[in-house]
């Protein structure tokens, strides 16, 4: 595809005519250290940014030999293989110093008079650009794309003054997104602290007693699972009706939110029927959840899970939301870990027998205190949900603006007194 001129001085041209994508160095794992210069690897590019947890380091002396791979503030980087192929990130001042590892690329602008860095970062984040990368990366068992393929992607290049204005508009939305993310993180931190406080110390009691599960308010009871919950065994649904089925382990770990509609002919004889408010125990863990996650069916009125899960529902008069928060807190994990056989504690599994599972001990406050504790935690969760909806709205606004501004479908005025037709 040849470059072409569009209206208003825009060009539709190969990205490689304006930038060069430099790949990282193949640092040897034997050179990784516990300290030194941090190394940016594919795994560190996620969630539309750079996350430096689990970072590897290169010795300072070795790093001096590879100074050409040192990244700079505002550099745009991209993952070029694996599950995160195409994901991009912006290097911030607080990330530095940082070395570039293999299969991660950094964009180097070749012609400063034709493209600015801030415009470039939105171009490579755009859904159009990302979709082209996904198509080009398919072809092997593992997604993979080369610098040459990325440089060959055609993009719209407006005049510099429009690039600056477009980047300024999109950057303002990014700031709102970042601020909302900060509020969500702060709210989650407050929620975790509140859960630890209320689920251990309660609300009403200043007197405590020693119990088999540790120090608890004096008025609380300690009961086994089988005194508080009934096990769900039955499959009391019509096989000819459409029901919701869990889509793998991910669904259970994320509060049973990921379901697939089944077809009426699907054989569900090996599944357990759940109703809203029922709980299921997952032997494995993922996405940062601790071993042995218990989650409540909260989003849907009903669904089915595999018989590999241990399912249960509350007896009356206990409160569903209180125990949802209790299980989310992870306070019960030590007990289940202690009763799991040694062979069932490896490879991300926490496998316990059903009988032992229902003998686990849990705290039981009065129903009034369960309600008060739940109300306080629910209030924090509600605040977080509001911010998450705001974040989703802002993200959609950004995507819509990018689609229109980066293609010239909607023009922006360059001067305050200038009107540009859309």
């Amino acid at each position: 595809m040849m470059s072409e001129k569009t209206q208003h001085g825009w060009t539709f041209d190969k990205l490689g005519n304006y930038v060069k994508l430099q790949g990282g160095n193949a640092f040897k794992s034997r050179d990784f250290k516990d300290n030194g210069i941090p190394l940016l690897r594919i795994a560190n590019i996620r969630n539309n940014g750079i996350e430096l947890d689990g970072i590897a380091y290169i010795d300072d002396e070795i790093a001096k030999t590879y100074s050409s791979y040192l990244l700079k503030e505002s550099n745009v980087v991209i993952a070029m293989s694996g599950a995160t192929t195409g994901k991009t990130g912006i290097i911030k001042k607080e990330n530095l110093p940082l070395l570039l590892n293999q299969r991660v690329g950094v964009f180097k602008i070749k012609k400063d008079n034709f493209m600015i860095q801030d415009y470039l970062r939105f171009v490579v984040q755009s859904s159009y650009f990302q979709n082209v990368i996904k198509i080009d990366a398919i072809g092997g068992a593992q997604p993979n794309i080369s610098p040459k393929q990325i440089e060959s992607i055609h993009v719209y290049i407006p005049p510099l003054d429009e690039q600056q204005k477009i980047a300024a508009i999109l950057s303002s939305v990014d700031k709102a997104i970042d601020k909302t993310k900060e509020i969500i993180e702060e709210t989650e931190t407050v929620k975790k602290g509140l859960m630890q406080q209320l689920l251990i110390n309660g609300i009403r009691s200043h007197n405590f007693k020693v119990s088999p599960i540790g120090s608890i308010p004096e008025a609380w009871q300690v009961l086994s699972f089988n005194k508080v919950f009934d096990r769900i065994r039955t499959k009391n649904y019509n096989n000819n009706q459409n029901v919701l089925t869990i889509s793998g382990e991910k669904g259970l770990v994320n509060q049973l939110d990921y379901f697939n509609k089944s077809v009426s002919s699907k054989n569900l004889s090996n599944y357990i029927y759940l109703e809203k408010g029922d709980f299921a125990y997952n032997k494995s863990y993922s996405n940062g959840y601790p071993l042995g996650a218990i989650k409540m069916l909260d989003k849907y009125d009903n669904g089915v899970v595999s018989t590999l899960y241990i399912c249960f529902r509350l007896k009356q008069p206990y409160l569903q939301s209180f125990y949802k928060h209790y299980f989310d807190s992870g306070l019960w994990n030590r007990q289940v870990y202690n009763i799991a056989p040694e062979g069932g504690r490896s490879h991300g599994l926490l496998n316990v027998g059903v009988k032992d599972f229902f003998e686990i001990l849990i705290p039981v406050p009065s129903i009034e205190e369960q309600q008060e504790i739940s109300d306080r935690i629910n209030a924090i969760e509600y605040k977080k949900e509001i911010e998450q909806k705001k974040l989703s709205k802002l993200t959609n606004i950004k995507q819509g603006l990018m689609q229109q501004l980066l293609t010239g479908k909607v023009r922006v005025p360059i001067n305050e007194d200038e009107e540009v037709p859309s």
Side-chain angles (χ1 to χ4, degrees), residues 38 50 52 71-76 89-99:
I50 305 298
L52 297 181
L71 293 165
K72 298 178 180 179
E73 185 179 359
S74 300
N75 277 164
V76 181
I90 311 300
I91 303 301
K92 298 179 181 179
K93 186 176 181 179
E94 57 264 30
N95 300 143
L96 300 175
L98 198 59
L99 280 165

Side-chain angles (χ1 to χ4, degrees), residues 231-233 235 245-254 256 258-259 270-274 279-286 292-295 304-312 349-352 354 357-358:
R231 184 183 177 191
I232 303 172
R233 302 169 179 265
K235 310 175 185 68
T245 57
I246 287 238
S247 179
E249 173 189 296
K250 181 180 179 182
L252 188 57
V253 172
N254 288 283
L256 303 176
Y258 291 85
F259 284 79
N270 293 322
Y271 289 81
I272 298 174
Y273 180 83
L274 298 180
F279 295 86
Y281 168 69
N282 186 7
K283 300 173 185 178
S284 60
Y285 73 101
S286 65
I294 289 179
K295 292 297 170 181
V304 293
V305 296
S306 164
T307 53
L308 293 175
Y309 298 115
I310 299 175
C311 302
F312 48 95
L349 295 176
L350 199 55
N351 198 356
V352 298
V354 174
F357 181 87
F358 279 94

Side-chain angles (χ1 to χ4, degrees), residues 29-36 55-60 62:
S29 58
R30 65 172 178 266
D31 292 328
F32 292 176
K33 305 293 182 181
D34 292 332
N35 51 63
I55 199 77
Y57 296 87
I58 297 296
D59 184 85
D60 289 25
I62 296 177

Side-chain angles (χ1 to χ4, degrees), residues 166-372:
I166 290 169
I169 293 170
L170 294 174
S171 293
S172 67
V173 182
D174 264 352
K175 287 179 181 178
I177 288 174
D178 289 342
K179 182 61 178 176
T180 305
K181 286 180 177 178
E182 287 178 12
I183 294 173
I184 290 172
E185 289 176 3
E186 290 169 1
T187 306
E188 180 62 22
T189 300
V190 171
K191 175 190 166 184
K192 287 180 179 178
L194 186 65
M195 289 171 73
Q196 291 290 315
Q197 172 68 22
L198 297 179
L199 295 170
I200 293 176
N201 298 326
I203 292 177
R204 301 178 177 180
S205 176
H206 296 289
N207 298 318
F208 295 87
K209 64 184 179 184
V210 177
S211 78
I213 61 172
S215 177
I216 62 171
E218 198 170 46
W220 289 17
Q221 291 182 280
V222 175
L223 298 176
S224 60
F225 253 62
N226 56 24
K227 299 294 184 183
V228 180
F229 298 95
D230 288 319
R231 184 183 177 191
I232 303 172
R233 302 169 179 265
T234 58
K235 310 175 185 68
N236 56 340
Y237 53 84
N238 184 346
N239 236 14
N240 293 321
Q241 74 184 54
N242 285 330
V243 294
L244 294 162
T245 57
I246 287 238
S247 179
E249 173 189 296
K250 181 180 179 182
L252 188 57
V253 172
N254 288 283
Q255 296 189 337
L256 303 176
D257 279 351
Y258 291 85
F259 284 79
N260 290 329
K261 273 284 188 182
S262 69
V263 295
S264 59
S265 60
K266 184 176 177 67
N267 182 4
L268 297 172
S269 60
N270 293 322
Y271 289 81
I272 298 174
Y273 180 83
L274 298 180
E275 296 176 351
K276 191 169 186 175
D278 290 344
F279 295 86
Y281 168 69
N282 186 7
K283 300 173 185 178
S284 60
Y285 73 101
S286 65
N287 297 336
Y289 282 99
L291 290 168
I294 289 179
K295 292 297 170 181
M296 185 178 83
L297 178 55
D298 197 14
K299 185 176 179 180
Y300 300 98
D301 290 333
N302 54 55
V304 293
V305 296
S306 164
T307 53
L308 293 175
Y309 298 115
I310 299 175
C311 302
F312 48 95
R313 72 170 51 105
L314 275 168
K315 301 174 185 282
Q316 296 302 319
Y318 306 114
L319 197 65
Q320 292 167 331
S321 58
F322 172 82
Y323 284 101
K324 172 185 177 295
H325 297 316
Y326 178 71
F327 295 136
D328 285 346
S329 73
L331 291 172
W332 75 290
N333 289 354
R334 181 179 298 177
Q335 282 200 77
V336 76
Y337 187 83
N338 287 339
I339 66 172
E342 193 165 331
R345 301 179 192 173
S346 59
H347 307 295
L349 295 176
L350 199 55
N351 198 356
V352 298
V354 174
K355 183 177 182 297
D356 290 335
F357 181 87
F358 279 94
E359 290 176 357
I360 291 174
L361 299 175
I362 53 176
V364 183
S366 68
I367 189 65
E368 292 80 14
E369 192 164 5
Q370 288 182 35
Q371 186 68 64
E372 288 182 47

Side-chain angles (χ1 to χ4, degrees), residues 107-124:
F107 291 96
K108 301 286 186 74
I109 294 178
K110 294 162 66 173
K111 301 179 181 179
D112 289 333
N113 58 326
F114 289 126
M115 179 175 283
I116 63 172
Q117 191 89 348
D118 283 344
Y119 181 78
L120 169 65
R121 71 184 176 99
F122 291 115
V123 167
V124 299

